[in-house]
Amino acid sequence: MNKKIDIVAYNQRAWNHEVESGNPWTLPASPEEIQQARSGNVQIVLTPKKGVPHEWLGRLEGRNILCLACGGGQQGPLLAAAGAQVTVFDNSESQLQQDISTAERENLTLKTVQGSMKDLSCFEDTSFDLIFHPVSNCFVDEIQPVWNECFRVLRSGGVLLAGFCNPLTFIFDMKEWEEHNRLKLAYSIPFSDVEQLSDELLDELIRKKQPLEFGHSLEAQIGGQISAGFSINGFYEDYAGDEIIDKHIMTFAATMAKKLDNSTV
């Protein structure tokens, strides 16, 4: 097949399909979770299982927060319920509709904007106090533009909270993993569904309307934030949950990075 795929357009449609299919990351926060957030107890994740430390979030009331590639009616409404001024930015209009519907259900105020996480040109420089960016940059082919744009739209002293995949997960044959619960080495990092899968496997993903993924190196994930100008001040790892690889290694990570004042750079 022709591997010249418009990744942004394809993954937009694929995530619309994930909403229809009930992917867990498309299911809105419950009324009980929203009420907890209103009471000051915000339980929120950047990675599959482990909650974000409260000290990473800091004071939320009145802060301008960008929920980046973060649609689905989960994190955005929780942060809005805690008193933040929230903008949810996502490539999928169906994911954004989950945020709109949840906000209407809970009488919350938030803004939604559709676009690619690599291009935040719709926002002016220094627009936000905090960026909340859960695991999602595995759906773009290049992540340095993401970090650069995050740095640009954050105010001095602003914070970027980001979750991402350990690239180790992308070196295994996924059919062996999913169908036979076996870990078989097959690919290299950086990984690309488009470039490294056989035509047959890529055709199968597209036929099933599954999002196309990219495994970025740790240098691109962590070093990329530093190259953009950030100082990384926090880090933790997390399990996928109920996966064969969990007994060997944690496969997700989260960072807390700060845009330092000019005087301290």
Side-chain angles (χ1 to χ4, degrees), residues 134-208:
V135 175
S136 56
N137 67 28
C138 52
F139 302 111
V140 291
D141 55 351
E142 185 183 9
I143 59 172
Q144 192 59 48
V146 179
W147 303 136
N148 293 345
E149 282 287 82
C150 286
F151 191 84
R152 179 184 66 80
V153 302
L154 271 175
R155 295 178 178 132
S156 182
V159 174
L160 166 65
L161 305 182
F164 52 89
C165 303
N166 185 318
L168 180 73
T169 58
F170 292 95
I171 68 176
F172 299 104
D173 184 319
M174 289 307 297
K175 287 186 74 69
E176 288 288 318
W177 186 333
E178 294 172 355
E179 297 178 7
H180 305 291
N181 207 34
R182 290 198 295 258
L183 297 175
K184 177 183 176 183
L185 290 174
Y187 305 111
S188 59
I189 302 301
F191 171 80
S192 163
D193 277 339
V194 177
E195 298 297 331
Q196 295 189 46
L197 293 184
S198 67
D199 287 350
E200 179 183 1
L201 289 175
L202 183 58
D203 279 339
E204 183 179 346
L205 285 180
I206 291 173
R207 188 168 55 252
K208 292 179 178 179

Side-chain angles (χ1 to χ4, degrees), residues 29-45:
S30 69
E32 292 75 20
E33 290 170 322
I34 296 292
Q35 184 54 47
Q36 277 192 322
R38 280 194 169 108
S39 302
N41 182 20
V42 181
Q43 302 297 320
I44 196 167
V45 295

Side-chain angles (χ1 to χ4, degrees), residues 8 15 42 44 46 51 58-59 88-89 93 99 108 129 137 168 173 176 181 239 259 262:
V8 173
W15 273 100
V42 181
I44 196 167
L46 288 161
R59 179 186 58 81
V88 182
F89 186 93
E93 64 268 29
D99 290 277
L108 297 169
D129 301 303
N137 67 28
L168 180 73
D173 184 319
E176 288 288 318
N181 207 34
Y239 291 107
K259 180 176 180 177
N262 292 334

